[in-house]
Amino acid sequence: METITLLLALFFIALTYFISSRRRRNLPPGPFPLPIIGNMLQLGSKPHQSFAQLSKKYGPLMSIHLGSLYTVIVSSPEMAKEILQKHGQVFSGRTIAQAVHACDHDKISMGFLPVANTWRDMRKICKEQMFSHHSLEASEELRHQKLQQLLDYAQKCCEAGRAVDIREASFITTLNLMSATMFSTQATEFDSEATKEFKEIIEGVATIVGVANFADYFPILKPFDLQGIKRRADGYFGRLLKLIEGYLNERLESRRLNPDAPRKKDFLETLVDIIEANEYKLTTEHLTHLMLDLFVGGSETNTTSLEWIMSELVINPDKMAKVKEELKSVVGDEKLVNESDMPRLPYLQAVIKEVLRIHPPGPLLLPRKAESDQVVNGYLIPKGTQILFNAWAMGRDPTIWKDPESFEPERFLNQSIDFKGQDFELIPFGSGRRICPGMPLANRILHMTTATLVHNFDWKLEEGTADADHKGELFGLAVRRATPLRIIPLKP
Ligand code: HEM
């Protein structure tokens, strides 16, 4: 009895101390955290949705405690602008999950290094060399061939009356488009067992990085790796780095043997130029880890988006018909659309924006971290705080968007809102210094793959798909459809 009284007394002392310290320091409001676990029980299986609910009560700058990780959730465009633009330098850090320590990736990776010289050099290479308009134009033909393979596969399914698993097809196509652009190689094949290594590794990385790891919330657990996440991440990262090193060494060797052979038009060629020119203070290790970041960063995000795009178009046949009509009038009978046609396809562009509004693949973006104490909107955000941006909540906020739950690409016609980081109500690629460097490639992949599928076939849902199946979400590295979309291609 005495022990219970003592425990209760300690609990109330802790509670009083917590409330008065929060008031004293004027931290953003938020739900009361339990001792040790904080607000973990309030996360649920879809944290972006739970945070959206909680923010309605606590406001657009809300504090929560994920175990011992103090986190602020940002849920309005005004607050996102304040943090990402006005105080961009302070909030340019990243919190680093334990899985990212695999193969010392956290110490070398562009995605996780602090904003300083090494990170700047890598961003410069991305912006000026890999993802420049000129470089992406040069590699268009490589991507064209991969889209032809998707078309051939869909054609086979059409002839056999067989459904296409859109997630699987999007994943294979994304991997192939990415590996063509980066290495001029084929990552994997449709209906093939032979090339599964790449696919297996990327799926493994996505699963491992997407799993909630208790060690991220209770650092005391880190050395024990109780869920085996660091160990498995070491395995997958190690295999992927070995593959990339293999491509790089092969290319260096072939350049040594044939210095006058025509140059390839992929990212690897850029890396070899950089190594030979010795222009940056970057090691080969930096460059292989950069390629890993690009490959992983672009795979799950694009795959998930492509599945949502086709899902929304299939359940909104009038919108699908409009995309088809536009493609017919702009592209005519050509089977494959060219990337240069994109500016002449405003309705397709509006469809992609609308999907990224309702289904941002990373609904909480990539976590940022406060590099020093900063007051925002009158509240103190202490150094080390993790910052999450609820892009999902902003995309569905009825005070920003009319009828936000309905799929209306038309809302983007005749107005200039874009996802390029200037319009804070639509930031699926983030904004500011660390905005997604791969956005120009993602833009091409999403538009071209959608155009290829819609232009060449009509699509029908496989028997037995319930309407409710289109709404369900599965939280992970990216938020995907809970049930895979299976649709049958038909001759138009
Ligand atoms: C639909 C496609 C994609 C979406 C929605 C997306 C989204 C994002 C977001 C939200 C961030 C964090 C930005 C921030 O902190 O402000 C990010 C960062 C990043 N993305 Fe993407 N991404 C996509 C495709 C790609 C592609 C195709 C690549 C590479 C080829 C890529 C590579 C990266 C890298 C390396 C970073 C880390 C940048 C840094 O921290 O400096 N992403 N992406």
Side-chain angles (χ1 to χ4, degrees):
M1 188 66 189
E2 272 175 17
T3 322
I4 292 176
T5 318
L6 186 66
L7 283 175
L8 277 174
L10 282 175
F11 176 71
F12 282 110
I13 291 169
L15 177 64
T16 317
Y17 176 76
F18 173 81
I19 293 173
S20 69
S21 113
R22 187 180 267 199
R23 284 211 185 111
R24 234 183 9 252
R25 300 178 70 203
N26 201 24
L27 301 173
F32 179 74
L34 293 173
I36 303 174
I37 59 171
N39 305 104
M40 300 279 284
L41 297 179
Q42 280 156 301
L43 286 187
S45 60
K46 291 165 195 138
H48 55 299
Q49 297 190 16
S50 312
F51 293 153
Q53 277 307 322
L54 286 168
S55 299
K56 285 186 188 151
K57 181 165 175 199
Y58 295 101
L61 216 53
M62 171 179 79
S63 292
I64 55 156
H65 293 253
L66 302 174
S68 61
L69 183 60
Y70 180 66
T71 300
V72 165
I73 315 286
V74 179
S75 322
S76 80
E78 294 76 22
M79 289 302 107
K81 185 172 181 184
E82 183 101 345
I83 288 180
L84 289 166
Q85 198 175 67
K86 187 168 169 199
H87 303 298
Q89 181 64 40
V90 174
F91 295 105
S92 64
R94 290 236 190 266
T95 35
I96 299 176
Q98 193 197 19
V100 178
H101 290 258
C103 302
D104 282 338
H105 190 60
D106 57 311
K107 300 190 184 71
I108 319 176
S109 144
M110 183 176 78
F112 297 93
L113 278 174
V115 167
N117 287 347
T118 309
W119 176 85
R120 277 196 200 94
D121 280 350
M122 292 200 249
R123 290 287 304 206
K124 189 166 174 226
I125 291 170
C126 285
K127 186 165 183 240
E128 292 177 7
Q129 302 189 40
M130 293 178 173
F131 297 103
S132 68
H133 183 74
H134 173 75
S135 156
L136 291 177
E137 290 288 291
S139 54
E140 175 177 359
E141 181 49 35
L142 297 168
R143 290 188 292 282
H144 216 70
Q145 293 161 13
K146 303 300 157 198
L147 288 173
Q148 183 62 52
Q149 287 174 1
L150 170 68
L151 191 59
D152 295 344
Y153 175 70
Q155 183 61 38
K156 266 208 282 182
C157 292
C158 174
E159 282 158 17
R162 181 154 60 101
V164 174
D165 179 326
I166 289 290
R167 185 178 167 78
E168 182 73 5
S170 303
F171 187 49
I172 291 176
T173 304
T174 299
L175 290 191
N176 283 339
L177 291 172
M178 299 273 302
S179 55
T181 312
M182 292 168 69
F183 317 113
S184 295
T185 58
Q186 165 111 342
T188 184
E189 277 171 40
F190 289 99
D191 287 339
S192 159
E193 284 292 296
T195 52
K196 31 179 221 204
E197 183 168 21
F198 235 113
K199 194 163 157 258
E200 203 182 283
I201 297 173
I202 299 292
E203 268 167 353
V205 171
T207 313
I208 288 293
V209 179
V211 164
N213 182 355
F214 292 116
D216 292 334
Y217 310 116
F218 307 102
I220 198 170
L221 298 176
K222 269 193 183 151
F224 307 107
D225 191 20
L226 294 174
Q227 292 158 272
I229 288 180
K230 165 76 168 47
R231 180 180 45 77
R232 282 183 285 159
D234 267 326
Y236 287 123
F237 278 47
R239 281 167 70 190
L240 188 51
L241 286 167
K242 209 166 147 209
L243 275 175
I244 297 171
E245 273 158 27
Y247 290 139
L248 183 60
N249 290 336
E250 219 173 87
R251 191 68 64 86
L252 281 165
E253 181 63 7
S254 93
R255 205 181 273 188
R256 196 181 60 78
L257 295 174
N258 295 304
D260 300 325
R263 298 282 155 95
K264 296 214 160 128
K265 293 175 174 156
D266 57 15
F267 287 5
L268 204 54
E269 208 68 27
T270 310
L271 292 196
V272 173
D273 286 342
I274 290 169
I275 291 171
E276 290 193 340
N278 209 4
E279 183 188 339
Y280 295 92
K281 285 194 192 121
L282 297 174
T283 61
T284 310
E285 227 186 341
H286 281 117
L287 300 175
T288 45
H289 281 256
L290 172 62
M291 292 299 248
L292 182 144
D293 266 347
L294 298 184
F295 215 92
V296 172
S299 301
E300 188 71 5
T301 43
N302 277 311
T303 302
T304 309
S305 297
L306 285 168
E307 191 180 26
W308 282 119
I309 293 169
M310 289 309 287
S311 179
E312 289 292 355
L313 288 177
V314 165
I315 55 171
N316 293 284
D318 54 324
K319 315 293 181 201
M320 172 91 87
K322 283 191 182 178
V323 179
K324 244 180 194 321
E325 199 43 53
E326 184 179 71
L327 285 163
K328 202 168 160 205
S329 77
V330 173
V331 184
D333 290 333
E334 286 295 317
K335 286 207 173 304
L336 279 178
V337 181
N338 288 311
E339 291 180 3
S340 56
D341 293 323
M342 266 165 52
R344 293 185 294 137
L345 298 166
Y347 194 77
L348 176 63
Q349 289 178 34
V351 164
I352 308 291
K353 284 182 192 171
E354 181 68 342
V355 171
L356 292 172
R357 175 186 72 82
I358 315 182
H359 306 287
L364 301 170
L365 309 187
L366 259 185
R368 297 282 192 102
K369 189 178 75 179
E371 298 288 18
S372 58
D373 284 2
Q374 178 64 54
V375 172
V376 176
N377 206 30
Y379 295 112
L380 171 69
I381 301 188
K383 179 178 176 182
T385 302
Q386 164 167 265
I387 317 287
L388 300 177
F389 300 86
N390 199 340
W392 185 91
M394 290 188 256
R396 293 176 186 236
D397 183 339
T399 65
I400 305 173
W401 308 97
K402 187 169 169 267
D403 206 0
E405 298 290 331
S406 76
F407 183 72
E408 280 299 320
E410 288 74 9
R411 73 175 84 234
F412 287 107
L413 296 176
N414 305 319
Q415 59 125 314
S416 62
I417 292 186
D418 210 335
F419 46 62
K420 298 195 174 142
Q422 295 307 310
D423 301 304
F424 287 83
E425 58 273 59
L426 188 69
I427 49 167
F429 293 95
S431 176
R433 287 168 178 70
R434 297 203 90 126
I435 189 171
C436 175
M439 183 169 50
L441 177 59
N443 207 5
R444 290 172 189 245
I445 292 179
L446 297 182
H447 284 83
M448 291 304 110
T449 311
T450 307
T452 302
L453 292 173
V454 175
H455 189 40
N456 292 288
F457 303 97
D458 289 336
W459 293 91
K460 161 180 114 167
L461 277 169
E462 195 179 38
E463 293 289 318
T465 314
D467 275 0
D469 288 351
H470 300 294
K471 299 272 176 212
E473 295 180 337
L474 198 67
F475 190 84
L477 180 60
V479 169
R480 58 168 81 158
R481 252 180 73 111
T483 49
L485 176 68
R486 294 182 55 83
I487 48 178
I488 303 175
L490 306 167
K491 279 238 173 309

